[in-house]
Amino acid sequence: IEQTLSIIKPDAVERNLDNEIKEIFKNKGFIILKEKKIQIEKSEAEKFYKVHETKPFYNDLCDYLSSGPIVVMVLQKENAILENRKLMGATNPIDAEEGTIRKKYGISIDKNSVHGSDSSENAQIEIDFFFKD
Ligand code: UDP
Ligand code: MG
């Protein structure tokens, strides 16, 4: 049993898709252990996405993630990290498979509706980032 961090990004929350997306996770057997709707500062987005700091899209990405409310969740399931990545689909919604969240809701490579941790190490770091008290 693994835990992973999921974020419903501003483009999806803005379109009131957060409940619909949460239902998809639950229907696929994920348990939402923790969740909160928050808006983060750009400085926090920069810290969260630090791994991408040398990428050309880094500044826009951090502006975007801090541009409106997001829903952050700890999801639990067997193989949660990989299962969530599969359910999300490819980073660019154009490349995402039928039945994935990004295929269904993603607008563009930047406004792709959801984030999911990509490894067990990063899952722990990202869960602590949002939920360590
Ligand atoms: N991103 C972007 N332009 C790109 C690549 C990525 O705006 O050319 C954004 C996109 O929102 C993506 C995030 O940066 O979700 C993190 O990129 P990563 O490669 O880690 O994709 P993910 O793990 O989210 O599929
Ligand atoms: Mg990533």
Side-chain angles (χ1 to χ4, degrees), residues 1-6 22-34 73-88 120 123 127:
I1 296 283
E2 287 179 347
Q3 293 174 10
T4 190
L5 186 91
S6 169
K22 278 160 52 180
E23 283 307 308
I24 294 175
F25 286 124
K26 288 190 253 181
N27 289 337
K28 292 284 182 182
F30 289 90
I31 295 166
I32 302 173
L33 282 183
K34 296 180 184 178
M73 298 173 287
V74 177
L75 302 181
Q76 181 170 287
K77 189 184 196 283
E78 211 167 295
N79 295 318
I81 297 160
L82 187 61
E83 290 298 311
N84 180 39
R85 295 289 305 189
K86 287 197 323 210
L87 181 55
M88 286 163 55
S120 60
I127 289 168

Side-chain angles (χ1 to χ4, degrees), residues 45-124:
E46 286 168 346
K47 205 173 153 203
F48 181 76
Y49 274 130
K50 193 161 177 46
V51 61
H52 292 304
E53 71 181 330
T54 61
K55 309 272 174 64
F57 57 83
Y58 179 64
N59 187 58
D60 286 347
L61 175 61
C62 297
D63 274 334
Y64 166 63
L65 194 69
S66 57
S67 68
I70 58 176
V71 176
V72 291
M73 298 173 287
V74 177
L75 302 181
Q76 181 170 287
K77 189 184 196 283
E78 211 167 295
N79 295 318
I81 297 160
L82 187 61
E83 290 298 311
N84 180 39
R85 295 289 305 189
K86 287 197 323 210
L87 181 55
M88 286 163 55
T91 305
N92 192 339
I94 284 175
D95 301 325
E97 281 181 51
E98 213 58 58
T100 63
I101 292 172
R102 283 169 165 172
K103 172 73 176 184
K104 190 164 186 198
Y105 302 110
I107 295 168
S108 58
I109 192 166
D110 48 322
K111 296 184 174 176
N112 59 8
S113 303
V114 281
H115 166 86
S117 308
D118 63 3
S119 66
S120 60
E121 188 191 356
N122 284 335
Q124 196 54 61

